[in-house]
Amino acid sequence: MIPLDTTDLRLLDLLQTDASPSNLELAARAHTSPATAMRRVRRLEDAGVIERRVALLSPAALGEGLAAIVEITLDRQGAEHLEAFEARAVNDDAVNQCWRVAPGPDFVLMVQVADMAAYHALVQRLFTQDANVRNVKAYFSVKRAKFDTRLRLPRPRGPAAPTPSAPPAP
C-alpha cells in the first residue's frame, strides 16, 4: 500500500464520484495544479490504487432488468475444480461479479440478465451442464435500494498528512 496524503485522497474521492472531468476540471475541484493532478493520478494508476475508469450503465435502460445473487456449491472442491468453475463463470457476460467465499457455498455470483428466460439460459450454460455443480440457490432482486461503487477512503498518510495534536495532560 502506498502512502496517501490529503491531495491523493481528494483526487480519489472526486474520481470515484465522477471520473469524467478533464484533468483541468479535476485539478480545479481538487484545489491543485493540473500538472500535480495528472502526476498524482498517474501515480495512483501505476500503483494499482485506481484499477480503471468506467461509465456505470443503467441495466433497466439496456433491457437487463433482472438481477440475481446466486450461491453455488460444487460437489468436488479441489483447487482444479474451483479454478475450472471460476474460469467459466468469469467468462460469462451475464456474470458481473464472481466471489469465492467461505464458509457456506463455494461461490457467490452477481448476475444481470434481461428476464427469466435469459436467467434460465445462464443456468443451462453454467450450472446444469457442469456435473460438478451440486447446489444452486438464487435470490432475485425485487428492488435495488442501494448501489454504490465508492470505497471508504483511509485517513491521510504520508508527508502531507496532518498530524493530530495530543490532548493536554490532566
Side-chain angles (χ1 to χ4, degrees), residues 86-142:
E86 181 178 305
R88 288 184 40 247
V90 300
N91 284 316
D92 195 293
D93 290 339
V95 177
N96 290 21
Q97 297 180 40
C98 176
W99 298 84
R100 243 191 238 191
V101 296
D106 297 307
F107 292 92
V108 173
L109 307 179
M110 309 298 263
V111 303
Q112 190 77 44
V113 292
D115 51 26
M116 210 41 122
Y119 177 75
H120 181 69
L122 170 73
V123 167
Q124 295 300 312
R125 278 192 315 273
L126 279 184
F127 314 142
T128 304
Q129 292 177 5
D130 188 338
N132 193 33
V133 173
R134 181 183 353 146
N135 191 38
V136 177
K137 191 172 189 179
Y139 304 90
F140 297 97
S141 173
V142 294

Side-chain angles (χ1 to χ4, degrees), residues 8 11 20 35 39 65 95 98 128 169:
D8 294 326
L11 288 165
S20 66
R39 186 178 68 254
V95 177
C98 176
T128 304

Side-chain angles (χ1 to χ4, degrees), residues 14-21 53-54:
L14 290 165
L15 287 171
Q16 73 174 344
T17 301
D18 181 5
S20 66
R53 297 189 230 180
V54 300

